[in-house]
Amino acid sequence: MGKATGFTAGPRAQGEAPEIGVGMLGYAFMGKAHSNAFKKIPYIIYPPPAVPRLIAICGRDEAAVSEAARRYGYEAYYTDWRKMLEDDRIQLFDNGGSNDVHAGPCIAAVQAGKHVVCEKPLARTAGEAKEMLDAAQKAGVKHMVAFNYRFVPALRQARDLIRSGALGRIYHYRADYLQEWVMPHYNVGMIWRLGKKTAGSGALGDLGAHIIDLGRFLVGEITSVSAMTRTFVKERPLPDGSGMGKVDVDDAFVAAVEFENGAIGTLEASRFAAGRKNHQVLEVNGEKGSLRFNLERMNELEVFWVGEQPRETQGFHNVLITEGYHPWMSHWWPQGHIIGWEHTFVHELAHLLDCIVNDRDVAPDGATFEDGYRAAVVCDAILASASTKRQIDIRY
Ligand SMILES: NC(=O)c1ccc[n+]([C@@H]2O[C@H](COP(=O)([O-])OP(=O)(O)OC[C@H]3O[C@@H](n4cnc5c(N)ncnc54)[C@H](O)[C@@H]3O)[C@@H](O)[C@H]2O)c1
């Protein structure tokens, strides 16, 4: 394994890697992204820490879930997650369901002794996330929240540079995460992402949770927030055609935040940013330089080093993060042959398998349920700040 990943195949991985049985909840967007990653791990991350065996996938619609099982190569399917969790062949439960089916199935899974990975946001509220964290800690299993951007090589490289002190004292963290797909011209009805009961929050939990987690990953703990939220379209057609449903989550938020280490930051997420498809851009400014990342150019890191170049040529420059010595890249192609968004899930799930098989800690490289809970506390504080028009101190 490449040294830069901090990932070493344990002795058990060097001969025949053990199999880990996977049970997947959800077969849509994330079900597909995670299944794709599990299938690539045995030959891309080589030797693999473990070989994922796709035991079963779960969804409510039998025709659709049986087709998904065939398509992705699962041995079986279930239409009830409770039944799937009774399957002893499953050691790792992967929750790619909507936010309202995160807590119940994850808690039942850890109580059944299964390791668990859950999509973000971990839960709809911090209280719900805390119940999940407590249950996972009590069960003593490995737990991970799928904050996959921690596994973008350029972002992991940024974290390593910041941790090494290369940027010196950190002054600013500035992050935007913008999309446009719920704007009126898309004619989106009342889907689960637009209701508080099913999603918890809107752009905040969907997009904001990622940049909150990256702020914690790159800079440190957030100590206060001061925020605004907005819902631009308040009613949308119900899927059964019976009328209009109330949108009770945010379409966008902005927040000013303080960090424990004295840095200050701004966070913004919106699903109403015309022309923005999946625009995640962040910048960290420190005493000795700055780093900038743009997900649409995810193999690059823009850097500026104070005083390192002649005055006439000073400026930000692009570094292509595709060398074998960059995080995770030794597993892929020769330098300059870029990787894509889906590969973040390969890194993330390989890390989890390594932690399971070799009894290593998911944190700090991966996000645990503790990180998911902390991101949820910040999300709740952003909502509280927006509704009270006050700055809120963060307490875990
Ligand atoms: N990490 C990322 O980049 C990223 C990207 C998109 C979504 N997500 C997260 O992934 C999760 C799923 O999002 P998605 O985009 O895949 O949503 P989706 O609507 O495409 O899929 C949701 C899946 O959940 C299943 N489901 C819902 N209730 C169920 C139940 N009771 N029993 C069984 N299956 C059930 C649905 O059948 C569907 O397969 C969400 O928490 C979301 O926030 C993460």
Side-chain angles (χ1 to χ4, degrees):
M1 295 296 139
K3 193 161 171 272
T5 60
F7 182 96
T8 45
R12 294 168 70 186
Q14 271 150 26
E16 208 162 290
E19 276 189 344
I20 299 276
V22 175
M24 177 84 221
L25 189 152
Y27 51 77
F29 184 15
M30 283 304 106
K32 183 177 175 181
H34 289 218
S35 301
N36 173 60
F38 282 126
K39 292 175 84 85
K40 286 193 162 72
I41 285 170
Y43 57 89
I44 291 289
I45 308 295
Y46 196 80
V51 173
R53 179 171 161 202
L54 303 185
I55 300 287
I57 189 162
C58 175
R60 290 157 299 178
D61 177 329
E62 182 159 8
V65 73
S66 65
E67 190 186 331
R70 270 199 309 280
R71 174 176 179 178
Y72 303 137
Y74 286 86
E75 294 171 25
Y77 67 83
Y78 290 91
T79 52
D80 181 346
W81 56 262
R82 291 170 193 82
K83 285 266 171 290
M84 183 168 82
L85 292 176
E86 287 169 12
D87 191 324
D88 288 338
R89 297 171 301 167
I90 293 170
Q91 291 136 282
L92 170 60
F93 172 61
D94 186 335
N95 193 329
S98 43
N99 303 350
D100 55 328
V101 286
H102 285 188
C106 284
I107 291 173
V110 300
Q111 287 173 346
K114 302 191 192 295
H115 305 289
V116 62
V117 51
C118 182
E119 262 304 338
K120 49 51 59 181
L122 180 58
R124 293 168 293 188
T125 62
E128 198 175 47
K130 183 73 167 61
E131 286 175 32
M132 297 169 75
L133 169 63
D134 289 346
Q137 284 178 333
K138 190 167 170 211
V141 295
K142 300 291 178 193
H143 44 97
M144 179 187 243
V145 186
F147 280 125
N148 57 308
Y149 296 114
R150 288 184 177 216
F151 293 88
V152 173
L155 283 174
R156 173 67 183 280
Q157 185 64 71
R159 199 281 306 254
D160 291 351
L161 281 168
I162 293 167
R163 288 275 166 94
S164 75
L167 265 69
R169 182 177 163 197
I170 303 300
Y171 301 132
H172 293 289
Y173 172 71
R174 202 171 295 109
D176 288 345
Y177 201 163
L178 310 175
Q179 297 182 347
E180 65 168 1
W181 61 272
V182 293
M183 290 183 70
H185 62 283
Y186 276 83
N187 296 317
V188 176
M190 256 325 277
I191 56 169
W192 72 262
R193 278 185 161 85
L194 296 168
K196 195 177 165 101
K197 194 159 167 267
T198 39
S201 64
L204 175 61
D206 196 12
L207 309 177
H210 276 300
I211 53 176
I212 290 166
D213 181 65
L214 288 173
R216 295 186 58 252
F217 185 59
L218 295 168
V219 179
E221 291 296 351
I222 294 170
T223 53
S224 82
V225 301
S226 183
M228 265 177 239
T229 59
R230 202 63 91 230
T231 305
F232 301 112
V233 172
K234 296 194 163 59
E235 282 193 331
R236 291 179 183 260
L238 292 165
D240 61 5
S242 64
M244 299 296 276
K246 186 168 170 283
V247 176
D248 51 3
V249 297
D250 55 288
D251 286 326
F253 85 93
V254 292
V257 301
E258 291 181 299
F259 289 89
E260 203 169 52
N261 61 8
I264 55 173
T266 56
L267 311 174
E268 178 181 7
S270 177
R271 300 192 290 209
F272 268 70
R276 295 300 183 195
K277 311 297 175 182
N278 194 32
H279 180 89
Q280 185 199 100
V281 174
L282 51 92
E283 185 168 296
V284 179
N285 308 121
E287 185 188 358
K288 299 181 188 167
S290 294
L291 300 174
R292 187 170 189 275
F293 171 78
N294 175 356
L295 182 62
E296 289 168 1
R297 305 186 69 92
M298 64 165 270
N299 291 267
E300 297 170 25
L301 195 58
E302 280 184 72
V303 292
F304 175 84
W305 297 118
V306 173
E308 247 196 20
Q309 290 148 16
R311 197 174 56 176
E312 294 77 6
T313 56
Q314 262 201 5
F316 274 88
H317 58 279
N318 266 347
V319 180
L320 200 55
I321 306 291
T322 59
E323 303 287 343
Y325 51 78
H326 285 134
W328 295 103
M329 291 309 294
S330 63
H331 300 291
W332 295 96
W333 324 120
Q335 52 185 189
H337 296 73
I338 56 179
I339 62 164
W341 174 85
E342 86 236 46
H343 302 128
T344 61
F345 298 93
V346 175
H347 305 160
E348 174 179 78
L349 293 171
H351 174 67
L352 179 60
L353 293 177
D354 179 38
C355 294
I356 292 170
V357 171
N358 297 311
D359 194 21
R360 299 174 56 148
D361 292 334
V362 169
D365 299 341
T368 61
F369 278 17
E370 174 83 50
D371 295 297
Y373 161 66
R374 287 179 180 235
V377 169
V378 176
C379 286
D380 281 8
I382 285 172
L383 293 177
S385 170
S387 67
T388 60
K389 298 186 190 297
R390 283 169 185 254
Q391 186 173 13
I392 305 274
D393 290 330
I394 304 290
R395 293 207 175 77
Y396 297 113

